[in-house]
Amino acid sequence: MVTHTLGTGTRTAVLLHGGGLSWWNYRAVADLLAANGYRVVLPVLDGHAGSDRPFTSIEDNASELVALIDRALGGRVDALGGVSLGAQVALEALAQRPQIAGRAVIESALVLPMRAARALVAPAVALSHPLVRRPWFSRAQFASLHLPEELYEPYYRDSCAISKRDMIAFMRENSSYRLKPELAGCGARATILVGGKEPRIMVRSARALAEAMPGSTLVEHPGWRHGEASLWYPEVYLEAFEGRP
């Protein structure tokens, strides 16, 4: 698993980006955490630009993450965060190893499978993937994600580097992931973030997740879209990691 690291603090945070993006998804959060005493590790999920292997499953990515934390980070981190696909990987890591993190921030995590959406992934990607390199299409996709303008160049570069096979694989996994019962024993104090402008199934997922994780805190913000907290409100992560939500 390829990683990027910011900061040299005594506390360690691991942040997992969303599907189709990369480690820079968390650049604003990482900069703030690094300025507040954290060493921030930013893995690149499988099948994404700069990764070292194709995408297979959320479970496999989580196992790689657990192995990375065991090998390089002492077997446990102070904080673990993820958004969308990255949030699902973070949840799976917490299910596989309940004591792997002291705190967790789970943003826009789908845990209620969408079978119809899964069936449409392959034909939709078959139509859209040939257009990825065209600036007009890339700009339209970028706008739909509500990313900060300074992220357009890395977004365009890394989108062009994702294969059709990997895009289909991680989008199918994203729409199929379901809540794991092992999360009831999660040892991390979790903050679950969801936006009021997200699809209703995302809000339902967040509420189901909060019920499944004892002691967790659910934050529903009416103005947020999918994944906006990590992109636009890094202070939310700092507060959650410091126990101040």
Side-chain angles (χ1 to χ4, degrees):
M1 179 172 272
V2 175
T3 62
H4 298 260
T5 302
L6 296 176
T8 58
T10 57
R11 296 175 290 178
T12 301
V14 175
L15 302 175
L16 302 164
H17 64 82
L21 306 180
S22 194
W23 66 273
W24 41 261
N25 179 164
Y26 271 112
R27 185 59 194 256
V29 174
D31 285 343
L32 182 60
L33 292 177
N36 282 271
Y38 282 89
R39 174 192 179 197
V40 187
V41 179
L42 303 164
V44 179
L45 297 179
D46 291 350
H48 290 72
S51 65
D52 58 356
R53 66 189 72 191
F55 188 91
T56 52
S57 70
I58 287 171
E59 288 79 5
D60 286 349
N61 261 220
S63 295
E64 292 168 34
L65 176 63
V66 170
L68 169 72
I69 292 174
D70 282 345
R71 181 178 69 253
L73 302 175
R76 177 179 166 88
V77 296
D78 296 285
L80 175 64
V83 54
S84 194
L85 179 66
Q88 294 169 321
V89 174
L91 287 172
E92 183 62 28
L94 290 167
Q96 292 181 15
R97 183 77 67 79
Q99 304 301 323
I100 203 166
R103 293 187 180 275
V105 177
I106 305 299
E107 178 185 1
S108 299
L110 180 65
V111 296
L112 303 175
M114 299 172 63
R115 294 178 182 175
R118 188 185 192 280
L120 294 173
V121 166
V125 173
L127 289 172
S128 63
H129 194 265
L131 302 174
V132 167
R133 293 181 179 275
R134 300 191 179 186
W136 65 266
F137 183 82
S138 178
R139 270 290 176 188
Q141 292 292 98
F142 183 80
S144 72
L145 295 171
H146 305 284
L147 302 172
E149 178 61 28
E150 62 268 21
L151 296 181
Y152 177 71
E153 290 303 324
Y155 169 78
Y156 178 72
R157 177 196 67 220
D158 289 354
S159 294
C160 292
I162 300 173
S163 72
K164 181 171 73 172
R165 180 256 174 225
D166 280 324
M167 191 171 293
I168 290 172
F170 68 67
M171 289 179 67
R172 278 178 167 170
E173 281 285 292
N174 175 253
S175 61
S176 304
Y177 189 73
R178 65 175 64 247
L179 186 62
K180 298 294 178 65
E182 291 83 359
L183 288 171
C186 174
R189 292 183 59 186
T191 299
I192 300 160
L193 306 176
V194 69
K197 292 185 177 181
E198 298 196 53
R200 291 301 301 169
I201 194 168
M202 299 303 303
V203 177
R204 287 170 46 217
S205 284
R207 292 173 180 172
L209 190 55
E211 290 181 7
M213 299 180 73
S216 61
T217 299
L218 175 62
V219 178
E220 297 184 41
H221 195 287
W224 290 344
R225 298 179 177 86
H226 186 72
E228 278 200 0
S230 54
L231 292 163
W232 294 98
Y233 306 102
E235 67 279 1
V236 169
Y237 276 73
L238 179 61
E239 290 175 357
F241 283 173
E242 304 258 294
R244 299 183 279 117

